[in-house]
Amino acid sequence: MKDTKGEKLFFVFNYFMLCIVGLSCLLPLIHTLSVSLSDAHAVRSGFVSLWPSGFSLESYKSLISGTPVVRAFQNSLLITVVGVVLSMVFTVMAAYPLARKSFYLRRFLTLAIVFTMLFSGGIIPTFLLIKELGLINSYWSIWLPGLVSAYNMLVLKSFLENIPAEIEEAARIDGCSELGLLTRIVLPLSLPVIAALTLFYGVHYWNIFMSVLLYIQNVEMHNLTVMVQQMVNSQSLLIEINKQQPDDLSDITPEGIKSAGIIVMVLPMLIVYPLLQKYFVKGVMIGAIKG
């Protein structure tokens, strides 16, 4: 069936708007990358646009030697890896029983979880609770409050509900226990949606910012996002780097180092996303289909 003239015009307009939105996100990132790879003279002169001028890695060398970027990167990696593992384990533990039609409190607990998507305790009560629990300056203050995302749990629950009951019945007839059914049958079949949710959680924990500012008062425990934000707002960046390498200030600029920090922050997610992209759309779309 051929598309009508109106449908063709709609597709052209839709693709055009998507290209505009895509370029609005991509061009600033390309410019930031170009600034981080350009020499100091070109950056000071404002000659850098979408292509590096006078290729130089001095900004990255100064970033590594003059700032705590390595330590912050390690902190971000720890927060992300442990957070993703914990969140995925508890998301599966929450979604699996709620997807069972035989579970008595299934409807009540699902509505209770949806309620949390609409209302929350607020920043001040949450901070007071974290303080009373003694979790200040502990990464548990980051992991525990957002351990399970209600949206991600509902997506996984919807996916699990679409797994044919005949597969589970056959596994039980063969003597498979409930834990064996989950680990050997359900989870392998749920690989697309698990990969998509892993990406969701990974982006969340890698980019987490406000919770670190509120609960982590020890500067040495700050993650990469907070460190880059402080770099961008800092007016004394060159003074700090000057203590490490006083002879190389002519080869660096604050803009170049800040741009290098931003690239270091977003690069891991840019690498991970293409690896999980084939599961991304499939997992979310299947999990959104009912019946």
Side-chain angles (χ1 to χ4, degrees), residues 62-94:
S62 301
L63 177 70
I64 294 174
S65 60
T67 66
V69 65
V70 176
R71 184 184 65 216
F73 186 90
Q74 293 173 344
N75 293 339
S76 291
L77 194 62
L78 175 63
I79 293 172
T80 302
V81 172
V82 176
V84 168
V85 172
L86 290 175
S87 292
M88 285 305 305
V89 169
F90 282 90
T91 299
V92 171
M93 292 174 62

Side-chain angles (χ1 to χ4, degrees), residues 13-276:
F13 177 78
N14 193 24
Y15 292 146
F16 175 76
M17 292 303 299
L18 289 176
C19 289
I20 295 297
V21 173
L23 289 175
S24 66
C25 298
L26 185 61
L27 292 181
L29 182 61
I30 295 176
H31 173 71
T32 303
L33 177 62
S34 298
V35 171
S36 69
L37 294 175
S38 299
D39 61 31
H41 176 73
V43 174
R44 292 193 189 97
S45 303
F47 293 151
V48 183
S49 56
L50 298 180
W51 191 258
S53 178
F55 183 82
S56 174
L57 295 176
E58 289 300 323
S59 295
Y60 290 94
K61 294 178 182 178
S62 301
L63 177 70
I64 294 174
S65 60
T67 66
V69 65
V70 176
R71 184 184 65 216
F73 186 90
Q74 293 173 344
N75 293 339
S76 291
L77 194 62
L78 175 63
I79 293 172
T80 302
V81 172
V82 176
V84 168
V85 172
L86 290 175
S87 292
M88 285 305 305
V89 169
F90 282 90
T91 299
V92 171
M93 292 174 62
Y96 181 70
L98 293 178
R100 305 300 94 191
K101 296 181 179 180
S102 58
F103 185 45
Y104 181 70
L105 296 176
R106 175 172 176 255
R107 179 176 175 81
F108 170 77
L109 291 178
T110 301
L111 292 176
I113 292 173
V114 172
F115 181 83
T116 65
M117 300 175 66
L118 306 176
F119 304 95
S120 64
I123 294 178
I124 296 178
T126 303
F127 178 83
L128 294 177
L129 175 61
I130 295 296
K131 184 178 180 180
E132 288 298 321
L133 292 175
L135 297 179
I136 298 297
N137 280 332
S138 171
Y139 288 143
W140 287 104
S141 63
I142 299 174
W143 296 326
L144 286 181
L147 191 60
V148 176
S149 166
Y151 172 80
N152 292 346
M153 193 281 297
L154 293 176
V155 170
L156 181 58
K157 170 181 171 294
S158 179
F159 183 94
L160 297 180
E161 288 175 341
N162 290 314
I163 295 178
E166 292 79 6
I167 297 178
E168 300 180 9
E169 293 173 0
R172 287 194 172 94
I173 291 175
D174 291 337
C176 192
S177 64
E178 198 68 37
L179 181 60
L181 177 63
L182 174 63
T183 56
R184 299 180 182 180
I185 306 298
V186 174
L187 292 183
L189 291 176
S190 307
L191 182 60
V193 70
I194 288 177
L197 297 185
T198 298
L199 181 62
F200 286 164
Y201 279 123
V203 172
H204 166 71
Y205 282 113
W206 185 263
N207 294 327
I208 199 164
F209 175 75
M210 186 58 67
S211 296
V212 177
L213 284 182
L214 289 176
Y215 308 133
I216 306 298
Q217 300 172 358
N218 186 355
V219 177
E220 294 185 356
M221 296 178 65
H222 283 175
N223 62 344
L224 195 59
T225 306
V226 173
M227 193 213 76
V228 171
Q229 185 269 344
Q230 293 173 345
M231 284 176 51
V232 171
N233 293 333
S234 174
Q235 299 299 323
S236 58
L237 182 60
L238 284 180
I239 298 178
E240 180 181 353
I241 297 177
N242 186 32
K243 298 176 182 178
Q244 301 293 331
Q245 30 184 313
D247 298 330
D248 297 330
L249 291 180
S250 60
D251 298 329
I252 57 176
T253 60
E255 292 77 10
I257 298 176
K258 294 173 184 178
S259 299
I262 294 173
I263 294 300
V264 170
M265 183 182 69
V266 302
L267 187 61
M269 290 298 104
L270 293 178
I271 295 175
V272 171
Y273 182 80
L275 300 178
L276 298 178

